[in-house]
Amino acid sequence: MKSLGLLGLITGLFLLISACGGYGDTSAKAPTSTVPQPTIPAAEPVSDGQLLFTNNGCGACHGSEGQGTGIAPGLAGHTAGQVKRQARAPLGQMPVFPPSKISNEELGHIAEYVESLGGDHLHMSVDNPGQALAQHHWMTLFALEDDSATEAIHHIDHIASKVTGQHLAQMKEAKEETEAGNIHDAIHIIENMLAGIQVEDLTPSEMQASLARSSVLVDDIEGALHHLDHLMEQMSGDPAVASQVAEIREYLEAGNIDGAAHELEELTGVAHEEEHEEEIGGHPH
Ligand code: HEC
């Protein structure tokens, strides 16, 4: 298992989306490396961000103004940090946009544009309710990591409206911690719940490896190191993992983002297999 398998669901719908041709709106395509000068009426100024949004195909799926379509959700209510993360390390069925397709600078403009969108916060429509719930946990985590408490609380409230019992109690606690500014505590609650609801697909250490990887992909080195620390706590006593984590740290310290991301991808596979071996015969929870 080398693939990341972040949520284990990057298959059918994406093929469907590609087949539907939403992505292939060639009339809107332009070279990604240059920003063509638009010929537009002066009355409708279009920002660089919006232009890049269109030219890179975001608008083909999400609607020309990010309002949402039958194949992809509306984008209002997302922070710039979340947009960057979604493009570099997408959740769900969205294709990835690596720096070779959209440079960091361009992505910055796109993210600013999306952040500026007004309107209601819409949600991803995932057909499997379990996946949808898991995605809201991921979105909460990313919002917390981006210091976007309002956005995090929005997702926590959404989760709270769908769950009961212990899970609901944990969401209330996560909300209280977020409101009190104890972001780190809130993150831990959400991480634990995420590992709990996805226990067959995603182990806690695999999740830390995934989080470290998505941090790396959005240039959040500090965040990546933080998740590697947690990963080591969970995998303590495993020399192979320890040496791999040490290698990743070296890459990060040397600024070798690609190297670190590549190693992390392998590591998520390793973390997955090893923990599942331990779990055979007994399901924690
Ligand atoms: C091929 C279609 C497609 C393209 C192209 C695409 N997206 Fe998406 N995007 C999706 C789908 C589908 C989802 C919902 C993921 C899911 O629910 O599985 C999504 C989700 C998102 C989300 C998270 C939405 C939420 O509710 O949390 C953001 C932000 C986003 N896309 C931004 C972008 C940006 C920026 C671009 C261009 C760089 C882009 N997308 C290009 C299909 C696409």
Side-chain angles (χ1 to χ4, degrees):
M1 255 289 279
K2 278 207 174 151
S3 70
L4 176 64
L6 187 61
L7 290 173
L9 45 75
I10 325 279
T11 45
L13 183 58
F14 174 50
L15 291 174
L16 196 65
I17 291 168
S18 315
C20 287
Y23 202 20
D25 185 0
T26 46
S27 61
K29 282 261 167 193
T32 51
S33 53
T34 56
V35 182
Q37 291 308 304
T39 45
I40 42 159
E44 275 182 48
V46 172
S47 65
D48 282 358
Q50 185 172 0
L51 205 59
L52 288 161
F53 183 86
T54 305
N55 291 345
N56 285 290
C58 317
C61 287
H62 289 282
S64 56
E65 285 167 4
Q67 73 274 27
T69 67
I71 51 171
L75 296 179
H78 289 90
T79 63
Q82 287 179 308
V83 175
K84 289 184 202 165
R85 222 182 256 273
Q86 176 69 10
R88 297 292 195 235
L91 296 178
Q93 285 79 12
M94 187 173 124
V96 62
F97 290 85
S100 55
K101 276 196 199 159
I102 302 181
S103 71
N104 282 343
E105 199 194 334
E106 290 170 331
L107 188 56
H109 288 306
I110 293 175
E112 264 170 42
Y113 164 66
V114 172
E115 194 172 66
S116 76
L117 292 173
D120 288 339
H121 193 302
L122 299 164
H123 284 135
M124 303 195 256
S125 57
V126 181
D127 22 357
N128 173 339
Q131 285 176 0
L133 205 56
Q135 288 197 346
H136 278 287
H137 287 76
W138 285 103
M139 295 313 287
T140 307
L141 272 188
F142 293 160
L144 288 168
E145 293 196 344
D146 288 339
D147 274 333
S148 172
T150 318
E151 172 75 13
I153 287 171
H154 170 89
H155 288 286
I156 293 173
D157 282 342
H158 184 82
I159 299 166
S161 73
K162 304 271 183 219
V163 298
T164 55
Q166 176 66 11
H167 199 153
L168 180 58
Q170 291 287 304
M171 288 304 116
K172 287 189 176 147
E173 203 180 323
K175 186 172 174 175
E176 276 167 25
E177 298 289 9
T178 306
E179 282 167 349
N182 300 328
I183 301 301
H184 202 249
D185 294 329
I187 286 177
H188 279 283
I189 295 171
I190 302 295
E191 283 177 352
N192 287 336
M193 297 317 294
L194 186 53
I197 53 174
Q198 296 202 323
V199 77
E200 272 143 321
D201 297 310
L202 184 74
T203 62
S205 59
E206 191 186 12
M207 178 172 64
Q208 294 296 345
S210 294
L211 286 166
R213 180 171 171 271
S214 68
S215 297
V216 164
L217 293 176
V218 294
D219 273 343
D220 177 5
I221 306 303
E222 210 182 303
L225 290 169
H226 169 91
H227 291 298
L228 287 177
D229 284 344
H230 284 300
L231 178 66
M232 284 314 295
E233 284 164 22
Q234 269 144 11
M235 301 289 282
S236 60
D238 186 319
V241 170
S243 79
Q244 209 173 352
V245 168
E247 205 177 328
I248 294 166
R249 281 181 181 284
E250 274 171 32
Y251 278 132
L252 288 176
E253 277 152 22
N256 182 346
I257 301 295
D258 287 347
H262 180 78
E263 287 291 319
L264 274 164
E265 202 163 323
E266 293 206 341
L267 187 60
T268 47
V270 172
H272 188 80
E273 278 158 29
E274 298 204 355
E275 280 211 5
H276 280 279
E277 274 163 29
E278 280 168 26
E279 274 167 21
I280 286 173
H283 231 227
H285 205 39

